[in-house]
Amino acid sequence: MSTQGSGASPRRWHGVHKALADPLRIRLLEALWEMPRSARELADHVDLPPDRLYYHLNHLERAGLIEIAEYRPLARGKVERVYTPAVTEPPSDAANPEEMAEFLGSMLDATRAEINAAYRSKQAGGCREVDLHRGALRLTDEALTELRGHIERLATQFGDRDAPGVWTRVVIAVVDLQDRPSLDATPPRLRGRHE
């Protein structure tokens, strides 16, 4: 799992819950997950005039959910913006608890919106896959390191943005439910394994 450096990082995740409060914005995001599109292409997709979308695209861009992928040349020297979903990184380890809570809340709100959209699509006859798993595991430090390695390898193996297929959101949380014992608290017969 990647984190940004300890330098000043943009709070791209700030305000995600407000940006996703409008169902139209969720539809715009869904369209962008299929492929990058301009405001004109998005307007055709949702059957609205392009000038009605700029307000909503601004909200999504300010929340860090979308970004400009390219500027496409048009006739008479004009250009149009082509939007794509943004890759959002979590705050660094230097973030305070309030910043981390805001990021996590926004991420969970976005995930909830994606799951709801998938189920609405299935209910309307669409074909979307949704798998939810939740469980607790007892992991030693070594097992935790191994699990993180497996997750990184899977993300690398399947993370090709240019590969054919359906955009699929994968959210994995690995959270200790209690404090890990410090080395000083490790019984002497086990201490040699950690040193």
Side-chain angles (χ1 to χ4, degrees), residues 138-150 180 183 190-195:
R138 283 185 162 275
L139 299 174
T140 63
D141 290 345
E142 294 83 9
L144 177 60
T145 300
E146 185 177 344
L147 177 61
R148 285 180 171 151
H150 286 303
R180 291 190 165 269
L183 289 178
L190 298 177
R191 197 170 293 150
R193 294 181 188 173
H194 296 281
E195 296 175 341

mmCIF file of all heavy atoms in Angstrom, residues 138-150 180 183 190-195:
data_model
loop_
_atom_site.group_PDB
_atom_site.id
_atom_site.type_symbol
_atom_site.label_atom_id
_atom_site.label_comp_id
_atom_site.label_asym_id
_atom_site.label_seq_id
_atom_site.Cartn_x
_atom_site.Cartn_y
_atom_site.Cartn_z
ATOM 1 N N ARG A 138 -5.699 -13.725 12.877
ATOM 2 C CA ARG A 138 -4.601 -13.532 13.833
ATOM 3 C C ARG A 138 -3.316 -13.578 13.024
ATOM 4 O O ARG A 138 -3.007 -14.598 12.421
ATOM 5 C CB ARG A 138 -4.585 -14.633 14.886
ATOM 6 C CG ARG A 138 -5.630 -14.464 15.952
ATOM 7 C CD ARG A 138 -5.450 -15.548 17.011
ATOM 8 N NE ARG A 138 -6.112 -15.203 18.223
ATOM 9 C CZ ARG A 138 -5.586 -14.443 19.193
ATOM 10 N NH1 ARG A 138 -4.378 -13.951 19.059
ATOM 11 N NH2 ARG A 138 -6.252 -14.186 20.283
ATOM 12 N N LEU A 139 -2.593 -12.463 12.980
ATOM 13 C CA LEU A 139 -1.395 -12.369 12.162
ATOM 14 C C LEU A 139 -0.182 -12.008 12.999
ATOM 15 O O LEU A 139 -0.205 -11.010 13.732
ATOM 16 C CB LEU A 139 -1.572 -11.307 11.069
ATOM 17 C CG LEU A 139 -2.698 -11.535 10.052
ATOM 18 C CD1 LEU A 139 -2.825 -10.338 9.139
ATOM 19 C CD2 LEU A 139 -2.448 -12.801 9.265
ATOM 20 N N THR A 140 0.867 -12.789 12.873
ATOM 21 C CA THR A 140 2.152 -12.420 13.469
ATOM 22 C C THR A 140 2.747 -11.309 12.614
ATOM 23 O O THR A 140 2.251 -11.017 11.511
ATOM 24 C CB THR A 140 3.111 -13.624 13.473
ATOM 25 O OG1 THR A 140 3.357 -13.997 12.111
ATOM 26 C CG2 THR A 140 2.542 -14.803 14.254
ATOM 27 N N ASP A 141 3.823 -10.691 13.084
ATOM 28 C CA ASP A 141 4.490 -9.668 12.287
ATOM 29 C C ASP A 141 4.913 -10.240 10.940
ATOM 30 O O ASP A 141 4.784 -9.591 9.902
ATOM 31 C CB ASP A 141 5.714 -9.120 13.023
ATOM 32 C CG ASP A 141 5.340 -8.270 14.229
ATOM 33 O OD1 ASP A 141 4.158 -7.869 14.341
ATOM 34 O OD2 ASP A 141 6.225 -7.997 15.066
ATOM 35 N N GLU A 142 5.414 -11.469 10.949
ATOM 36 C CA GLU A 142 5.871 -12.111 9.710
ATOM 37 C C GLU A 142 4.696 -12.368 8.771
ATOM 38 O O GLU A 142 4.784 -12.135 7.558
ATOM 39 C CB GLU A 142 6.606 -13.428 10.012
ATOM 40 C CG GLU A 142 7.907 -13.257 10.749
ATOM 41 C CD GLU A 142 7.735 -13.109 12.272
ATOM 42 O OE1 GLU A 142 6.602 -13.301 12.791
ATOM 43 O OE2 GLU A 142 8.729 -12.766 12.934
ATOM 44 N N ALA A 143 3.579 -12.855 9.315
ATOM 45 C CA ALA A 143 2.403 -13.128 8.485
ATOM 46 C C ALA A 143 1.827 -11.838 7.912
ATOM 47 O O ALA A 143 1.400 -11.801 6.752
ATOM 48 C CB ALA A 143 1.342 -13.876 9.294
ATOM 49 N N LEU A 144 1.840 -10.753 8.703
ATOM 50 C CA LEU A 144 1.355 -9.471 8.225
ATOM 51 C C LEU A 144 2.219 -8.979 7.065
ATOM 52 O O LEU A 144 1.712 -8.515 6.038
ATOM 53 C CB LEU A 144 1.345 -8.445 9.363
ATOM 54 C CG LEU A 144 0.914 -7.025 8.999
ATOM 55 C CD1 LEU A 144 -0.505 -7.011 8.436
ATOM 56 C CD2 LEU A 144 1.016 -6.120 10.211
ATOM 57 N N THR A 145 3.539 -9.092 7.209
ATOM 58 C CA THR A 145 4.450 -8.691 6.141
ATOM 59 C C THR A 145 4.191 -9.511 4.881
ATOM 60 O O THR A 145 4.157 -8.979 3.769
ATOM 61 C CB THR A 145 5.917 -8.862 6.600
ATOM 62 O OG1 THR A 145 6.124 -8.028 7.740
ATOM 63 C CG2 THR A 145 6.893 -8.485 5.508
ATOM 64 N N GLU A 146 3.978 -10.815 5.058
ATOM 65 C CA GLU A 146 3.711 -11.696 3.915
ATOM 66 C C GLU A 146 2.389 -11.322 3.236
ATOM 67 O O GLU A 146 2.301 -11.265 2.012
ATOM 68 C CB GLU A 146 3.682 -13.152 4.373
ATOM 69 C CG GLU A 146 3.540 -14.139 3.237
ATOM 70 C CD GLU A 146 3.594 -15.583 3.712
ATOM 71 O OE1 GLU A 146 4.043 -15.851 4.853
ATOM 72 O OE2 GLU A 146 3.158 -16.445 2.924
ATOM 73 N N LEU A 147 1.337 -11.044 4.033
ATOM 74 C CA LEU A 147 0.049 -10.655 3.477
ATOM 75 C C LEU A 147 0.175 -9.362 2.681
ATOM 76 O O LEU A 147 -0.354 -9.253 1.564
ATOM 77 C CB LEU A 147 -0.980 -10.498 4.600
ATOM 78 C CG LEU A 147 -2.373 -10.017 4.183
ATOM 79 C CD1 LEU A 147 -3.026 -10.998 3.215
ATOM 80 C CD2 LEU A 147 -3.248 -9.807 5.408
ATOM 81 N N ARG A 148 0.874 -8.380 3.223
ATOM 82 C CA ARG A 148 1.068 -7.117 2.504
ATOM 83 C C ARG A 148 1.798 -7.358 1.183
ATOM 84 O O ARG A 148 1.482 -6.736 0.167
ATOM 85 C CB ARG A 148 1.837 -6.129 3.372
ATOM 86 C CG ARG A 148 1.007 -5.532 4.470
ATOM 87 C CD ARG A 148 1.812 -4.561 5.293
ATOM 88 N NE ARG A 148 0.968 -3.842 6.217
ATOM 89 C CZ ARG A 148 1.384 -3.367 7.383
ATOM 90 N NH1 ARG A 148 2.635 -3.545 7.769
ATOM 91 N NH2 ARG A 148 0.560 -2.726 8.169
ATOM 92 N N GLY A 149 2.784 -8.265 1.203
ATOM 93 C CA GLY A 149 3.506 -8.593 -0.025
ATOM 94 C C GLY A 149 2.583 -9.196 -1.077
ATOM 95 O O GLY A 149 2.669 -8.851 -2.263
ATOM 96 N N HIS A 150 1.694 -10.094 -0.657
ATOM 97 C CA HIS A 150 0.729 -10.698 -1.588
ATOM 98 C C HIS A 150 -0.187 -9.631 -2.192
ATOM 99 O O HIS A 150 -0.459 -9.643 -3.399
ATOM 100 C CB HIS A 150 -0.135 -11.751 -0.883
ATOM 101 C CG HIS A 150 0.580 -13.036 -0.584
ATOM 102 N ND1 HIS A 150 1.185 -13.800 -1.554
ATOM 103 C CD2 HIS A 150 0.767 -13.698 0.582
ATOM 104 C CE1 HIS A 150 1.718 -14.875 -1.003
ATOM 105 N NE2 HIS A 150 1.489 -14.830 0.305
ATOM 106 N N ARG A 180 -0.009 -4.150 18.768
ATOM 107 C CA ARG A 180 0.942 -5.253 18.648
ATOM 108 C C ARG A 180 1.886 -5.199 19.839
ATOM 109 O O ARG A 180 2.245 -4.119 20.302
ATOM 110 C CB ARG A 180 1.744 -5.140 17.349
ATOM 111 C CG ARG A 180 0.872 -5.393 16.154
ATOM 112 C CD ARG A 180 1.642 -5.533 14.865
ATOM 113 N NE ARG A 180 0.731 -6.118 13.896
ATOM 114 C CZ ARG A 180 0.598 -7.419 13.686
ATOM 115 N NH1 ARG A 180 1.356 -8.255 14.347
ATOM 116 N NH2 ARG A 180 -0.272 -7.876 12.836
ATOM 117 N N LEU A 183 8.731 -5.370 21.385
ATOM 118 C CA LEU A 183 9.766 -6.386 21.539
ATOM 119 C C LEU A 183 10.082 -6.634 23.009
ATOM 120 O O LEU A 183 10.383 -7.747 23.409
ATOM 121 C CB LEU A 183 11.032 -5.975 20.795
ATOM 122 C CG LEU A 183 10.936 -6.019 19.267
ATOM 123 C CD1 LEU A 183 12.234 -5.551 18.647
ATOM 124 C CD2 LEU A 183 10.595 -7.421 18.794
ATOM 125 N N LEU A 190 10.618 -16.301 22.800
ATOM 126 C CA LEU A 190 10.236 -15.879 21.449
ATOM 127 C C LEU A 190 11.036 -14.697 20.948
ATOM 128 O O LEU A 190 11.017 -14.397 19.778
ATOM 129 C CB LEU A 190 8.733 -15.508 21.420
ATOM 130 C CG LEU A 190 7.756 -16.633 21.754
ATOM 131 C CD1 LEU A 190 6.340 -16.081 21.764
ATOM 132 C CD2 LEU A 190 7.875 -17.780 20.759
ATOM 133 N N ARG A 191 11.763 -14.016 21.857
ATOM 134 C CA ARG A 191 12.426 -12.769 21.508
ATOM 135 C C ARG A 191 13.428 -12.953 20.371
ATOM 136 O O ARG A 191 13.557 -12.125 19.495
ATOM 137 C CB ARG A 191 13.086 -12.172 22.735
ATOM 138 C CG ARG A 191 13.423 -10.711 22.543
ATOM 139 C CD ARG A 191 13.863 -10.047 23.818
ATOM 140 N NE ARG A 191 12.758 -9.971 24.759
ATOM 141 C CZ ARG A 191 12.902 -10.000 26.060
ATOM 142 N NH1 ARG A 191 14.071 -10.117 26.605
ATOM 143 N NH2 ARG A 191 11.844 -9.916 26.843
ATOM 144 N N GLY A 192 14.135 -14.070 20.340
ATOM 145 C CA GLY A 192 15.149 -14.287 19.315
ATOM 146 C C GLY A 192 14.589 -14.286 17.921
ATOM 147 O O GLY A 192 15.277 -13.949 16.966
ATOM 148 N N ARG A 193 13.305 -14.611 17.746
ATOM 149 C CA ARG A 193 12.697 -14.616 16.421
ATOM 150 C C ARG A 193 12.529 -13.215 15.854
ATOM 151 O O ARG A 193 12.452 -13.035 14.649
ATOM 152 C CB ARG A 193 11.310 -15.270 16.487
ATOM 153 C CG ARG A 193 11.373 -16.738 16.839
ATOM 154 C CD ARG A 193 9.980 -17.303 16.857
ATOM 155 N NE ARG A 193 10.005 -18.659 17.374
ATOM 156 C CZ ARG A 193 8.929 -19.373 17.628
ATOM 157 N NH1 ARG A 193 7.749 -18.851 17.405
ATOM 158 N NH2 ARG A 193 9.033 -20.600 18.100
ATOM 159 N N HIS A 194 12.419 -12.221 16.719
ATOM 160 C CA HIS A 194 12.182 -10.845 16.254
ATOM 161 C C HIS A 194 13.484 -10.061 16.143
ATOM 162 O O HIS A 194 13.483 -9.013 15.532
ATOM 163 C CB HIS A 194 11.245 -10.121 17.220
ATOM 164 C CG HIS A 194 9.883 -10.730 17.275
ATOM 165 N ND1 HIS A 194 8.942 -10.487 16.318
ATOM 166 C CD2 HIS A 194 9.317 -11.581 18.170
ATOM 167 C CE1 HIS A 194 7.831 -11.164 16.608
ATOM 168 N NE2 HIS A 194 8.051 -11.826 17.728
ATOM 169 N N GLU A 195 14.545 -10.498 16.767
ATOM 170 C CA GLU A 195 15.774 -9.700 16.792
ATOM 171 C C GLU A 195 16.681 -10.083 15.627
ATOM 172 O O GLU A 195 16.633 -11.127 15.069
ATOM 173 C CB GLU A 195 16.500 -9.897 18.111
ATOM 174 C CG GLU A 195 15.677 -9.396 19.269
ATOM 175 C CD GLU A 195 16.259 -9.664 20.628
ATOM 176 O OE1 GLU A 195 17.125 -10.541 20.757
ATOM 177 O OE2 GLU A 195 15.841 -8.990 21.558
#
